[in-house]
């Protein structure tokens, strides 16, 4: 996610939600859970590129690959996340999520999403073009 006004890039990864809103809105059921890793994956052949998953995700995790236009998201590197392996300060860990932790993350993401929308709304209403 990029906050263009502040010039800040914030890496956003898929939280692998237990009941993911991205999966719920997908009209072709292209999003599914990998039985081995538990990651939510996108079936590229089934994905029609409607981007509804991007709109539905409270974390903003799915994105569009610039060179191909395909929708992409973290797939946990097939159970061996490279971000965890190469994190120099060892600040990242790959651990199974609990239902309680996922609910807290989702609630937190929803609040964050609402605050961003509110700030954008206020900024838009104060624009001299209006």
């Amino acid at each position: 996610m990029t906050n263009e006004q502040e010039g800040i890039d914030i890496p956003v990864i898929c939280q692998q939600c237990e009941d993911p809103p991205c999966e719920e809105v997908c009209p072709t059921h292209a999003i599914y859970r990998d039985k081995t890793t538990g990651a939510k994956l996108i079936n590229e052949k089934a994905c029609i590129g409607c981007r509804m998953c991007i709109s539905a995700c409270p974390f903003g995790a799915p994105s569009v690959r610039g060179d191909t236009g395909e929708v992409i998201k973290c797939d946990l590197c097939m159970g061996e996340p490279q971000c965890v392996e190469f994190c120099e300060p060892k600040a990242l860990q790959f651990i199974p999520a609990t239902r309680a932790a996922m609910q807290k993350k989702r609630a937190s993401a929803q609040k964050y999403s609402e605050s961003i929308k509110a700030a954008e709304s206020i900024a838009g209403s104060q624009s001299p073009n209006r």
Side-chain angles (χ1 to χ4, degrees):
M1 171 179 18
T2 301
N3 184 334
E4 293 176 10
Q5 292 174 334
E6 300 292 326
I8 300 170
D9 283 327
I10 302 169
V12 178
I13 61 166
C14 179
Q15 298 297 303
Q16 310 299 339
C17 301
E18 188 163 321
D19 297 313
C22 61
E23 183 179 20
E24 293 171 19
V25 300
C26 182
T28 62
H29 308 287
I31 300 174
Y32 65 98
R33 185 167 310 276
D34 181 276
K35 291 179 177 151
T36 305
T37 65
K40 282 298 187 175
L41 304 177
I42 299 174
N43 178 340
E44 295 171 15
K45 292 178 182 172
C47 178
I48 58 173
C50 69
R51 301 180 184 184
M52 288 183 63
C53 57
I54 295 172
S55 297
C57 178
F59 300 99
S63 61
V64 176
R65 188 171 162 169
D67 58 342
T68 65
E70 72 180 306
V71 177
I72 57 172
K73 56 174 262 349
C74 174
D75 61 4
L76 297 178
C77 298
M78 306 316 257
E80 300 284 335
Q82 298 299 296
C83 57
V84 173
E85 184 177 331
F86 291 103
C87 180
E88 266 313 302
K90 302 300 179 202
L92 300 176
Q93 296 178 355
F94 179 54
I95 56 173
T98 65
R99 186 176 202 48
M102 293 308 295
Q103 288 171 340
K104 285 181 184 179
K105 284 181 185 180
R106 188 176 222 177
S108 195
Q110 191 65 39
K111 285 181 186 178
Y112 178 73
S113 177
E114 289 168 6
S115 69
I116 294 293
K117 288 177 185 175
E120 288 172 349
S121 176
I122 291 170
S125 67
Q126 295 176 351
S127 172
N129 295 335
R130 291 194 147 215

